[in-house]
Amino acid sequence: MRRTTTRRLTVGVLLDEDLRVPRVWALEAACAELAARPLDVTLAELEAVLAAPVTCEAGRRLHLLVSALYHHAGASLPLTEQLRARIQAAQTTTDKE
């Protein structure tokens, strides 16, 4: 991701920033960085993002973040399933508009 040194990585930044090449590596690195933070902080940011519709691209990024939260931050399987359903619902809202 192209970030200035003064801009802290948040879930919102994950969705807003352009990804550098290679895109997959950059996205995985950003998600791992978010997963390394306290889980409750990242979940609060994720909840705020999911309060509004998200694009398909944002949904893909959020799904990768949820995977990182499960594998690296100790998020439970039921929580990740709930988050994935909310991401899908937020994408569906965008698709209908």
Side-chain angles (χ1 to χ4, degrees):
M1 300 182 74
R2 292 182 191 120
R3 288 186 289 134
T4 62
T5 56
T6 59
R7 191 165 182 188
R8 176 175 79 77
L9 180 61
T10 64
V11 175
V13 171
L14 176 71
L15 303 183
D16 293 339
E17 293 290 316
D18 292 331
L19 297 173
R20 67 177 184 267
V21 176
R23 285 176 45 97
V24 172
W25 181 87
L27 182 55
E28 288 176 349
C31 289
E33 185 177 336
L34 288 169
R37 302 182 319 164
L39 183 58
D40 60 331
V41 171
T42 303
L43 288 176
E45 291 177 5
L46 186 53
E47 291 291 329
V49 165
L50 291 175
V54 297
T55 65
C56 287
E57 174 62 23
R60 283 189 287 272
R61 293 179 186 201
L62 292 174
H63 279 294
L64 191 57
L65 173 59
V66 169
S67 292
L69 294 177
Y70 175 76
H71 290 287
H72 305 293
S76 69
L77 184 57
L79 175 60
T80 60
E81 290 171 343
Q82 177 187 19
L83 291 171
R84 289 185 188 285
R86 292 198 53 220
I87 293 166
Q88 187 64 38
Q91 284 178 295
T92 302
T93 303
T94 301
D95 292 341
K96 290 180 183 176
E97 294 177 350

